């Protein structure tokens, strides 16, 4: 199950495109949702940060992601949804901090106009 979830997160593929070598996409998705609702992913990230982080270096980077046209129809809650206007249109910026080995320590989402 975990390998299937990591495959989806790594490739960005839709859940239905999960290869046949993994369990069914429905069971993987329901387990992923359950773990997300329980806060297991945040707990794992905190554990890796405290126990396994190589804190000799801290690397920070950000990447912009365009908002899908269907999501861009939201008018009032753009700040809470981390959407902002940039030259290319409505976008979100992902700010990530990694340790010396490149493992994620944490991230925040902001509107694209933020630095």
């Amino acid at each position: 199950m975990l390998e299937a979830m990591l495959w989806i997160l790594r490739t960005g593929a839709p859940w239905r495109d999960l290869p046949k070598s993994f369990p069914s996409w429905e069971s993987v998705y329901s387990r992923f949702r359950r773990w997300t609702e329980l806060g297991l992913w945040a707990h794992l990230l905190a554990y890796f940060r405290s126990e396994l982080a190589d804190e000799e270096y801290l690397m920070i980077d950000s990447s912009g992601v365009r908002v899908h046209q269907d999501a861009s129809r939201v008018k009032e809650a753009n700040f809470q949804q981390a959407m902002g206007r940039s030259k290319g249109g409505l976008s979100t910026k992902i700010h990530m901090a990694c340790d010396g080995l490149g493992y994620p320590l944490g991230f925040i989402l902001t509107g694209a106009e933020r630095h």
Side-chain angles (χ1 to χ4, degrees), residues 6-55:
L6 294 175
W7 187 89
I8 290 290
L9 295 172
R10 183 176 58 248
T11 62
W15 287 100
R16 292 179 189 263
D17 290 347
L18 193 64
K20 299 291 183 204
S21 59
F22 294 118
S24 71
W25 72 268
E26 294 99 338
S27 60
V28 175
Y29 175 74
S30 64
R31 177 91 43 103
F32 178 80
R33 291 283 303 170
R34 195 172 330 127
W35 288 2
T36 301
E37 290 167 359
L38 292 173
L40 181 65
W41 296 111
H43 178 72
L44 285 173
L45 187 61
Y47 170 77
F48 291 139
R49 185 179 329 135
S50 65
E51 297 295 323
L52 305 173
D54 177 12
E55 296 178 348

Side-chain angles (χ1 to χ4, degrees), residues 74-89:
V74 177
K75 297 281 187 217
E76 295 96 29
N78 284 351
F79 182 74
Q80 290 86 2
Q81 299 295 326
M83 291 187 280
R85 244 343 120 206
S86 67
K87 288 182 182 178

Side-chain angles (χ1 to χ4, degrees), residues 40-99:
L40 181 65
W41 296 111
H43 178 72
L44 285 173
L45 187 61
Y47 170 77
F48 291 139
R49 185 179 329 135
S50 65
E51 297 295 323
L52 305 173
D54 177 12
E55 296 178 348
E56 185 176 352
Y57 296 102
L58 178 65
M59 298 177 282
I60 302 172
D61 196 10
S62 63
S63 179
V65 181
R66 293 285 311 263
V67 174
H68 191 273
Q69 63 186 10
D70 292 337
S72 65
R73 295 182 186 152
V74 177
K75 297 281 187 217
E76 295 96 29
N78 284 351
F79 182 74
Q80 290 86 2
Q81 299 295 326
M83 291 187 280
R85 244 343 120 206
S86 67
K87 288 182 182 178
L90 207 53
S91 301
T92 296
K93 194 175 281 185
I94 303 169
H95 306 273
M96 176 74 77
C98 296
D99 68 359

